[in-house]
Amino acid sequence: MNWAFLQGLLSGVNKYSTALSRIWLSVVFVFRVMVYVVAAEDVWDDEQKDFTCNTLQPGCPNVCYDHFFPVSHVRLWALQLILVTCPSLLVVMHVAYREERERRHQAKHGPNAPPLYSNLNKKRGGLWWTYLLSLIFKAAVDSTFLYIFHHLYKNYDMPRVVHCSIDPCPHTVDCYISRPTEKKIFTYFMVGTAAICILLNLCEVTYLVGKRCMEILGPQRRKSRHRRHLPDTCPPYVVSQGGHHQDGNSVLMKAGSALMDESGYP
């Protein structure tokens, strides 16, 4: 698989991403893709060839291997890495859709027409939702694969000896896994990096949602605070012709008479 091509595509996501997403992308390619390409494939290349059982019964080693390793680790990791990186491409496609829509708008209404988007790369509107859903999907994919690994291989363990009594094995036989300690270390490493990526995705979701809530609630709080600080409306007062204020009783009497003149009744 050409992982460099996928890295070239995803590198364009950085200009639309936050700092947390850039860290996530670095962790994926440095600690997951590079480790997978350089070391993990070589560690598991002999898993079936060197899986031996203490029996000469034809078919017994193959059946036992399929029972304890229903899906290869490296193939599951490859599928996991592909699915976890594909949502980032949706952000690039959404930005490309915005650019094409803006181009058609300018071609139809002229270059002096007001633009549809103030900033094509800014995460607002539908692009914000696409970005947020891509983060949730990536966290969900990693969590699902961690559960699959835990379900298939209890506690992500790699025992040295497994006991198999599946037909056509004549009795319970012992089967030996090649390099179990090395495979266990790489398994723990891939599981740990996947957990870090999940944590980064959840932190970025929290950051985006919190920032949007602050943008929405901030002006409303400022408006309510401004209203609370406004002075109470003072009662009308009447200034005499000499420029002096009249006393309170005369003010109330004149105000009442004014209301009587306007409405005819108090």
Side-chain angles (χ1 to χ4, degrees):
M1 178 176 293
N2 191 357
W3 294 104
F5 174 73
L6 183 60
Q7 182 180 7
L9 288 177
L10 293 179
S11 60
V13 184
N14 281 337
K15 57 183 178 181
Y16 317 124
S17 305
T18 63
L20 288 172
S21 185
R22 295 187 183 98
I23 296 174
W24 175 88
L25 192 61
S26 300
V27 171
V28 168
F29 277 100
V30 174
F31 296 102
R32 297 178 71 176
V33 174
M34 292 299 295
V35 170
Y36 173 86
V37 173
V38 174
E41 286 185 317
D42 294 334
V43 172
W44 267 270
D45 62 349
D46 60 347
E47 55 180 338
Q48 187 171 4
K49 180 180 65 176
D50 292 344
F51 183 84
T52 58
C53 300
N54 56 358
T55 180
L56 297 178
Q57 178 68 30
C60 181
N62 292 334
V63 172
C64 293
Y65 177 83
D66 183 69
H67 176 72
F68 290 105
F69 298 98
V71 182
S72 173
H73 283 70
V74 290
R75 292 180 179 87
L76 271 179
W77 282 334
L79 182 61
Q80 179 182 4
L81 291 173
I82 292 173
L83 291 179
V84 84
T85 52
C86 283
S88 299
L89 300 179
L90 295 177
V91 180
V92 179
M93 295 172 61
H94 197 141
V95 174
Y97 165 76
R98 280 188 165 192
E99 293 175 350
E100 179 64 18
R101 188 180 178 191
E102 185 67 32
R103 186 190 65 80
R104 292 182 179 180
H105 175 74
Q106 296 293 333
K108 182 178 180 180
H109 300 282
N112 297 326
L116 295 175
Y117 307 98
S118 58
N119 189 346
L120 293 174
N121 301 332
K122 196 171 184 179
K123 294 184 286 293
R124 288 293 183 272
L127 183 59
W128 186 86
W129 284 105
T130 301
Y131 192 85
L132 182 67
L133 292 177
S134 69
L135 295 175
I136 297 174
F137 184 80
K138 288 187 289 189
V141 167
D142 273 333
S143 301
T144 302
F145 274 90
L146 287 183
Y147 173 77
I148 291 174
F149 274 105
H150 178 74
H151 180 72
L152 294 179
Y153 312 104
K154 300 299 182 182
N155 297 324
Y156 313 107
D157 192 19
M158 190 65 60
R160 290 180 172 85
V161 181
V162 292
H163 307 286
C164 180
S165 58
I166 304 174
D167 189 66
C169 297
H171 52 80
T172 300
V173 298
D174 296 331
C175 298
Y176 306 93
I177 301 174
S178 64
R179 294 183 290 181
T181 303
E182 187 177 10
K183 293 177 179 179
K184 183 187 296 187
I185 292 173
F186 275 96
T187 301
Y188 285 163
F189 181 83
M190 297 297 282
V191 169
T193 53
I196 293 174
C197 289
I198 293 173
L199 181 61
L200 289 173
N201 287 327
L202 295 180
C203 290
E204 190 171 6
V205 168
T206 304
Y207 168 76
L208 289 177
V209 174
K211 183 179 179 181
R212 178 54 59 91
C213 292
M214 292 297 294
E215 291 176 354
I216 295 175
L217 299 178
Q220 297 179 358
R221 290 181 178 177
R222 286 195 294 268
K223 288 180 181 179
S224 61
R225 193 180 302 115
H226 179 69
R227 290 174 182 173
R228 286 197 300 268
H229 285 82
L230 284 178
D232 295 334
T233 304
C234 298
Y237 59 90
V238 181
V239 181
S240 62
Q241 294 180 354
H244 300 287
H245 294 285
Q246 299 180 4
D247 59 359
N249 293 331
S250 61
V251 169
L252 293 176
M253 292 176 62
K254 290 187 177 182
S257 62
L259 292 174
M260 289 286 294
D261 293 338
E262 293 178 359
S263 60
Y265 55 91

